[in-house]
Amino acid sequence: MEGGGRPSAVQAALLAASTAITALLYSVYRQKARVARGLEGARKVRLDGDLRAVLLEAPGRCVPYAVIEGVVRSVKETLSSQFVENCKGVVQRLTLQEHKMVWNRTTHLWNDCEKIIHQRTNTTPFDLVPAEDGAGVTVRVMKPLDAAELSLETVYEKFHPSVQSFTDVIGHYISGERPKGIQETEQMLKVGTALTGVGELVLDNATIKLQPPKQGMPYYLSALDFESLLQKQESSVRFWKILTVVFGFATCTVLFFLLRKQYRHHRERQHLRQMQEEFRQAQERLMNTEGGETLKNACVVCLSSTKSCVFLECGHVCSCHECYQALPEPKKCPICRQGITRVVPLYNS
């Protein structure tokens, strides 16, 4: 602690950083918990002949947050894989990713670094249909790229290592970057994939659409079933809750330490003030005592010199020798006004 009981700059910075991290983690935890509660409260609907009737009875022909499970079927022509024969899908993502080693000047180590140098995503309209054919009910999936947990299967992946000459190697060591190669990846959402969709379900004329919800809840298109998706979100909530509790406990520990130090400093200052007051009072008592003795032994005439004469025959001891000499003739005792016949010197041991 610094002077005055204030925490040091390091302690204040530690408390501020711990508090900020705790607040950030708590905010993420609150958001994750809200998503999990919303997902748990989503209405489960079946992709069957009763779905249209359910939407007709719903306010605005809309279920704000619904869960529906079905199988992917293309509306128009499907997308064909560029590398795998007879691989058809409705979402295709092609990615070129550069892999290289970068020299870290702080740790003096080579670190792996990945960078996407090109990515293209192609989509075609698709529906969710029942796993068993014959029901005749379809749900059009809108804006699939906006969905979280969009399950794309990697159908092709190949790494093309860099070919380097000796001159290139020297140049890479000088520049601090060593290219390793290019990774080419193709991901697809295949036709026939079972999907769980969570979002706003609306009846638009004759078309049933699944689209991102308007209340700010997340939009899901996942290959997991609903129970697995819910368990995944709840696990995420528990993880962030544990982090929040741990950092919250650390923040409380730092705060308790600072308050305890400040309290001890306050007690020490209070004890010091009490000791100073006791010392002052003792000094005053001592000064009063010494002053009283001095006043008691002072000459009653000048009040400065010490009494040093005994007047006879009255016996009063009330003046110093100088004041006795200055008394007018006939000399009389300043106390009783009796005549002084003789004076006996007083010696204080």
mmCIF file of all heavy atoms in Angstrom, residues 31-41 217 230 233-234 237:
data_model
loop_
_atom_site.group_PDB
_atom_site.id
_atom_site.type_symbol
_atom_site.label_atom_id
_atom_site.label_comp_id
_atom_site.label_asym_id
_atom_site.label_seq_id
_atom_site.Cartn_x
_atom_site.Cartn_y
_atom_site.Cartn_z
ATOM 1 N N GLN A 31 -25.257 -14.060 -22.180
ATOM 2 C CA GLN A 31 -25.702 -14.232 -23.565
ATOM 3 C C GLN A 31 -25.879 -15.708 -23.898
ATOM 4 O O GLN A 31 -26.881 -16.106 -24.509
ATOM 5 C CB GLN A 31 -24.689 -13.598 -24.510
ATOM 6 C CG GLN A 31 -25.060 -13.709 -25.980
ATOM 7 C CD GLN A 31 -23.997 -13.119 -26.883
ATOM 8 O OE1 GLN A 31 -22.966 -12.655 -26.421
ATOM 9 N NE2 GLN A 31 -24.244 -13.134 -28.176
ATOM 10 N N LYS A 32 -24.906 -16.536 -23.491
ATOM 11 C CA LYS A 32 -25.006 -17.975 -23.754
ATOM 12 C C LYS A 32 -26.206 -18.582 -23.020
ATOM 13 O O LYS A 32 -26.912 -19.439 -23.577
ATOM 14 C CB LYS A 32 -23.720 -18.677 -23.316
ATOM 15 C CG LYS A 32 -22.479 -18.272 -24.086
ATOM 16 C CD LYS A 32 -22.494 -18.810 -25.497
ATOM 17 C CE LYS A 32 -21.207 -18.481 -26.222
ATOM 18 N NZ LYS A 32 -21.206 -18.984 -27.619
ATOM 19 N N ALA A 33 -26.432 -18.152 -21.783
ATOM 20 C CA ALA A 33 -27.568 -18.664 -21.020
ATOM 21 C C ALA A 33 -28.887 -18.253 -21.673
ATOM 22 O O ALA A 33 -29.844 -19.038 -21.714
ATOM 23 C CB ALA A 33 -27.501 -18.162 -19.585
ATOM 24 N N ARG A 34 -28.947 -17.030 -22.183
ATOM 25 C CA ARG A 34 -30.173 -16.575 -22.858
ATOM 26 C C ARG A 34 -30.436 -17.407 -24.119
ATOM 27 O O ARG A 34 -31.579 -17.800 -24.392
ATOM 28 C CB ARG A 34 -30.038 -15.100 -23.238
ATOM 29 C CG ARG A 34 -31.278 -14.495 -23.884
ATOM 30 C CD ARG A 34 -31.057 -13.031 -24.185
ATOM 31 N NE ARG A 34 -30.052 -12.857 -25.205
ATOM 32 C CZ ARG A 34 -30.303 -12.868 -26.519
ATOM 33 N NH1 ARG A 34 -31.540 -13.054 -26.950
ATOM 34 N NH2 ARG A 34 -29.337 -12.703 -27.390
ATOM 35 N N VAL A 35 -29.370 -17.697 -24.858
ATOM 36 C CA VAL A 35 -29.519 -18.520 -26.065
ATOM 37 C C VAL A 35 -29.991 -19.924 -25.696
ATOM 38 O O VAL A 35 -30.884 -20.488 -26.343
ATOM 39 C CB VAL A 35 -28.187 -18.570 -26.836
ATOM 40 C CG1 VAL A 35 -28.243 -19.622 -27.940
ATOM 41 C CG2 VAL A 35 -27.875 -17.207 -27.435
ATOM 42 N N ALA A 36 -29.386 -20.502 -24.641
ATOM 43 C CA ALA A 36 -29.770 -21.857 -24.231
ATOM 44 C C ALA A 36 -31.220 -21.895 -23.757
ATOM 45 O O ALA A 36 -31.965 -22.833 -24.082
ATOM 46 C CB ALA A 36 -28.832 -22.357 -23.134
ATOM 47 N N ARG A 37 -31.650 -20.867 -22.989
ATOM 48 C CA ARG A 37 -33.045 -20.828 -22.544
ATOM 49 C C ARG A 37 -33.996 -20.677 -23.729
ATOM 50 O O ARG A 37 -35.061 -21.299 -23.770
ATOM 51 C CB ARG A 37 -33.244 -19.679 -21.551
ATOM 52 C CG ARG A 37 -32.634 -19.919 -20.194
ATOM 53 C CD ARG A 37 -33.169 -18.914 -19.184
ATOM 54 N NE ARG A 37 -32.890 -17.543 -19.603
ATOM 55 C CZ ARG A 37 -31.801 -16.865 -19.252
ATOM 56 N NH1 ARG A 37 -30.881 -17.433 -18.488
ATOM 57 N NH2 ARG A 37 -31.627 -15.617 -19.656
ATOM 58 N N GLY A 38 -33.605 -19.829 -24.688
ATOM 59 C CA GLY A 38 -34.447 -19.660 -25.870
ATOM 60 C C GLY A 38 -34.535 -20.928 -26.684
ATOM 61 O O GLY A 38 -35.608 -21.286 -27.191
ATOM 62 N N LEU A 39 -33.399 -21.632 -26.803
ATOM 63 C CA LEU A 39 -33.400 -22.888 -27.559
ATOM 64 C C LEU A 39 -34.230 -23.943 -26.845
ATOM 65 O O LEU A 39 -34.960 -24.722 -27.478
ATOM 66 C CB LEU A 39 -31.959 -23.364 -27.735
ATOM 67 C CG LEU A 39 -31.725 -24.529 -28.700
ATOM 68 C CD1 LEU A 39 -32.173 -24.151 -30.105
ATOM 69 C CD2 LEU A 39 -30.257 -24.928 -28.717
ATOM 70 N N GLU A 40 -34.148 -23.949 -25.512
ATOM 71 C CA GLU A 40 -34.936 -24.924 -24.750
ATOM 72 C C GLU A 40 -36.428 -24.635 -24.861
ATOM 73 O O GLU A 40 -37.251 -25.561 -24.839
ATOM 74 C CB GLU A 40 -34.492 -24.885 -23.291
ATOM 75 C CG GLU A 40 -35.110 -25.963 -22.427
ATOM 76 C CD GLU A 40 -34.568 -25.931 -21.019
ATOM 77 O OE1 GLU A 40 -33.790 -25.014 -20.701
ATOM 78 O OE2 GLU A 40 -34.920 -26.839 -20.232
ATOM 79 N N GLY A 41 -36.769 -23.355 -24.998
ATOM 80 C CA GLY A 41 -38.179 -22.994 -25.100
ATOM 81 C C GLY A 41 -38.713 -22.953 -26.516
ATOM 82 O O GLY A 41 -39.877 -22.597 -26.726
ATOM 83 N N MET A 217 -32.563 -14.048 -31.660
ATOM 84 C CA MET A 217 -32.105 -15.385 -31.301
ATOM 85 C C MET A 217 -31.305 -15.986 -32.453
ATOM 86 O O MET A 217 -31.511 -15.637 -33.622
ATOM 87 C CB MET A 217 -33.297 -16.279 -30.960
ATOM 88 C CG MET A 217 -34.079 -15.824 -29.742
ATOM 89 S SD MET A 217 -33.079 -15.847 -28.242
ATOM 90 C CE MET A 217 -32.826 -17.611 -28.037
ATOM 91 N N LEU A 230 -28.944 -28.951 -28.090
ATOM 92 C CA LEU A 230 -29.248 -28.305 -26.817
ATOM 93 C C LEU A 230 -28.185 -28.626 -25.778
ATOM 94 O O LEU A 230 -27.745 -27.740 -25.016
ATOM 95 C CB LEU A 230 -30.620 -28.762 -26.331
ATOM 96 C CG LEU A 230 -31.122 -28.155 -25.017
ATOM 97 C CD1 LEU A 230 -31.186 -26.643 -25.108
ATOM 98 C CD2 LEU A 230 -32.483 -28.731 -24.641
ATOM 99 N N GLN A 233 -25.116 -26.489 -26.345
ATOM 100 C CA GLN A 233 -25.261 -25.118 -25.864
ATOM 101 C C GLN A 233 -25.200 -25.062 -24.340
ATOM 102 O O GLN A 233 -24.602 -24.149 -23.764
ATOM 103 C CB GLN A 233 -26.586 -24.530 -26.365
ATOM 104 C CG GLN A 233 -26.682 -24.430 -27.875
ATOM 105 C CD GLN A 233 -25.556 -23.611 -28.474
ATOM 106 O OE1 GLN A 233 -25.200 -22.559 -27.959
ATOM 107 N NE2 GLN A 233 -25.004 -24.085 -29.570
ATOM 108 N N GLU A 234 -25.799 -26.034 -23.671
ATOM 109 C CA GLU A 234 -25.755 -26.058 -22.208
ATOM 110 C C GLU A 234 -24.334 -26.298 -21.699
ATOM 111 O O GLU A 234 -23.936 -25.747 -20.670
ATOM 112 C CB GLU A 234 -26.707 -27.122 -21.680
ATOM 113 C CG GLU A 234 -28.180 -26.776 -21.887
ATOM 114 C CD GLU A 234 -29.104 -27.893 -21.453
ATOM 115 O OE1 GLU A 234 -28.602 -29.029 -21.266
ATOM 116 O OE2 GLU A 234 -30.317 -27.645 -21.303
ATOM 117 N N VAL A 237 -22.669 -23.064 -21.868
ATOM 118 C CA VAL A 237 -23.103 -22.206 -20.746
ATOM 119 C C VAL A 237 -22.353 -22.581 -19.469
ATOM 120 O O VAL A 237 -21.881 -21.700 -18.725
ATOM 121 C CB VAL A 237 -24.619 -22.334 -20.535
ATOM 122 C CG1 VAL A 237 -25.053 -21.634 -19.252
ATOM 123 C CG2 VAL A 237 -25.375 -21.748 -21.720
#
